[in-house]
Amino acid sequence: QSLLACGGIASEELDLNYEVTTEVQTDKGNFIDLVVESDSYVIIIENKIYASLYNDLEDYYSYYARVRNSNAGPRQIFAFVLSLTKLPSIHNRYIFVDYESLVLEIKTRLGEAAIRANQRYLSLLFDFITNVESLKRGNTMDHEFINFVKEHTNEIDNINLRIKKLHADFRHVVKAVNSQIIERFQTDKIKQWAYRVLPEFYD
């Protein structure tokens, strides 16, 4: 119900007698992560945590539209890509949902469901939510910045080269100053120590 709600799909009229299967193989040899099947609908779920979305989503959808529907009669097909971070919608038959949105929906429904739920599975659900939220907090990659870097590679390379040259120029000045100190103060009482912290611009 929470997953469907993330896709704006009303679940009140749907049959709750369903079967969940993992790693369903299509005719092309691809594997669908999760499939929820009832007599009236199919829910296809492709799950992504860290891996990129390289899957043949069209094959997943076509498999149930063609093979399974011919055996079980016409059924509604709901297809989801569930991911740790928000992914761009690249297939118009799929609804793209991130775990943060799903967990929020689950929490809004959990109170009533928890009363009649199997306590063992409820405990597993809490562990799952905790782990997903921990992964979400740990994922600090700035995808907007990564895309910016990809689009401005030449300019960034040029900046890096100029910064390296600037470092070299600064080091040349420091060495020149050090040489003058040694030349002007010929005494054992003065010791020279050049200190440097990379990648800072000072010594």
Side-chain angles (χ1 to χ4, degrees), residues 44-192:
I44 299 168
I45 302 172
E46 175 60 29
N47 184 52
K48 288 294 172 190
I49 299 296
Y50 292 126
S52 58
L53 186 61
Y54 54 82
N55 310 75
D56 191 346
L57 299 179
E58 183 60 34
D59 176 43
Y60 298 171
Y61 194 95
S62 299
Y63 176 69
Y64 274 94
R66 183 181 68 257
V67 179
R68 290 303 181 102
N69 272 352
S70 63
N71 296 333
R75 293 181 292 178
Q76 286 183 284
I77 300 176
F78 307 111
F80 290 87
V81 172
L82 184 59
S83 58
L84 185 62
T85 57
K86 290 183 178 180
L87 296 176
S89 181
I90 60 172
H91 197 294
N92 57 11
R93 288 177 171 173
Y94 282 76
I95 300 168
F96 286 69
V97 177
D98 64 281
Y99 267 110
E100 186 176 359
S101 301
L102 177 60
V103 168
L104 184 61
E105 284 290 341
I106 291 173
K107 287 179 177 179
T108 61
R109 292 170 169 76
L110 198 54
E112 182 181 346
I115 297 173
R116 59 179 184 275
N118 182 310
Q119 294 304 304
R120 176 171 173 266
Y121 292 116
L122 192 62
S123 176
L124 290 173
L125 174 63
F126 289 150
D127 286 344
F128 175 75
I129 290 175
T130 300
N131 287 328
V132 166
E133 289 178 336
S134 177
L135 288 173
K136 178 68 177 175
R137 285 193 299 271
N139 186 12
T140 58
M141 292 181 67
D142 186 339
H143 293 281
E144 184 178 348
F145 179 68
I146 290 171
N147 289 332
F148 174 84
V149 171
K150 286 180 180 178
E151 294 169 2
H152 298 85
T153 303
N154 292 336
E155 296 93 324
I156 291 171
D157 285 344
N158 184 46
I159 289 172
N160 283 331
L161 288 173
R162 295 179 70 176
I163 287 175
K164 286 180 181 179
K165 184 179 183 305
L166 192 58
H167 271 289
D169 290 344
F170 283 174
R171 289 299 295 164
H172 178 75
V173 172
V174 170
K175 287 179 180 178
V177 171
N178 288 345
S179 297
Q180 289 186 33
I181 291 173
I182 292 172
E183 290 172 2
R184 294 186 184 186
F185 301 96
Q186 296 291 339
T187 172
D188 293 336
K189 293 182 179 181
I190 293 179
K191 296 186 183 294
Q192 189 184 76

Side-chain angles (χ1 to χ4, degrees), residues 21-60:
T21 311
T22 62
E23 297 296 323
V24 176
Q25 188 171 14
T26 69
D27 294 335
K28 291 175 67 174
N30 296 314
F31 289 90
I32 308 171
D33 286 340
L34 280 167
V35 177
V36 181
E37 288 189 78
S38 80
D39 292 336
S40 58
Y41 63 86
V42 178
I43 301 175
I44 299 168
I45 302 172
E46 175 60 29
N47 184 52
K48 288 294 172 190
I49 299 296
Y50 292 126
S52 58
L53 186 61
Y54 54 82
N55 310 75
D56 191 346
L57 299 179
E58 183 60 34
D59 176 43
Y60 298 171

